[in-house]
Amino acid sequence: AQASALVSSSASLAASLLVLGLCMKHPGMRRMPGWIIMRASWCELVSSLCGVVFFALGGFQEHHRHCGAAIVHEFRSGLIVMLVAAEIAAYTWRFFMYVHLLATYVNPFRSTRLLRVYSFIVVAFALGVAGACVCYVASVSAGAAVATCE
């Protein structure tokens, strides 16, 4: 399962790099809704990179107790939080692609009135979910620490 997750994350990383490379090489692709897809692809790139590093470090496998185990555990926990935040941001950008298209179809003369709000909502939503993820990881880590002490 770890190897297939590593391969999937690597394939996702390659696909994100391909999309971003095409958008950079052909500026015409950045027109509506290309700029939103490009931002979602940046988020996917970060998410895939976190997945590759996470599964390259062993994923969810438990490491033996040694002096560097706590550092590796904290680093992997941070990667999970970053992966979740980037994935949520990517999905939110894709959602706003449809919102923007709908706004353009409803009123093509005022379709850009909400553009300034998109980034704020994406960042706020990603940080909110990442904060919830941090709380969950901290509670699980605290429960594991209590279980090992008993």
Side-chain angles (χ1 to χ4, degrees):
Q2 299 282 349
S4 65
L6 182 61
V7 169
S8 298
S9 294
S10 299
S12 177
L13 181 66
S16 296
L17 286 171
L18 180 66
V19 168
L20 289 170
L22 286 172
C23 285
M24 297 292 183
K25 183 155 175 66
H26 303 289
M29 292 180 69
R30 287 182 261 177
R31 287 184 303 195
M32 179 54 206
W35 64 272
I36 296 176
I37 292 171
M38 195 167 155
R39 290 183 182 186
S41 294
W42 278 110
C43 296
E44 282 290 331
L45 178 79
V46 171
S47 174
S48 301
L49 193 59
C50 289
V52 167
V53 172
F54 179 78
F55 288 111
L57 287 176
F60 292 106
Q61 295 175 354
E62 288 297 320
H63 292 285
H64 299 291
R65 296 278 175 203
H66 57 81
C67 47
I71 295 170
V72 170
H73 176 71
E74 293 300 321
F75 183 70
R76 290 189 308 173
S77 297
L79 281 174
I80 290 173
V81 171
M82 245 173 39
L83 187 142
V84 167
E87 197 69 29
I88 291 296
Y91 284 121
T92 308
W93 275 118
R94 285 191 203 98
F95 169 76
F96 277 122
M97 179 186 68
Y98 295 111
V99 168
H100 190 69
L101 285 173
L102 182 65
T104 302
Y105 291 143
V106 169
N107 190 352
F109 301 108
R110 294 196 54 207
S111 64
T112 60
R113 68 185 180 275
L114 297 175
L115 289 182
R116 289 182 225 111
V117 180
Y118 293 169
S119 296
F120 175 74
I121 293 173
V122 168
V123 170
F125 195 57
L127 287 177
V129 172
C133 186
V134 166
C135 292
Y136 177 75
V137 168
S139 68
V140 168
S141 295
V146 169
T148 56
C149 291
E150 294 176 348

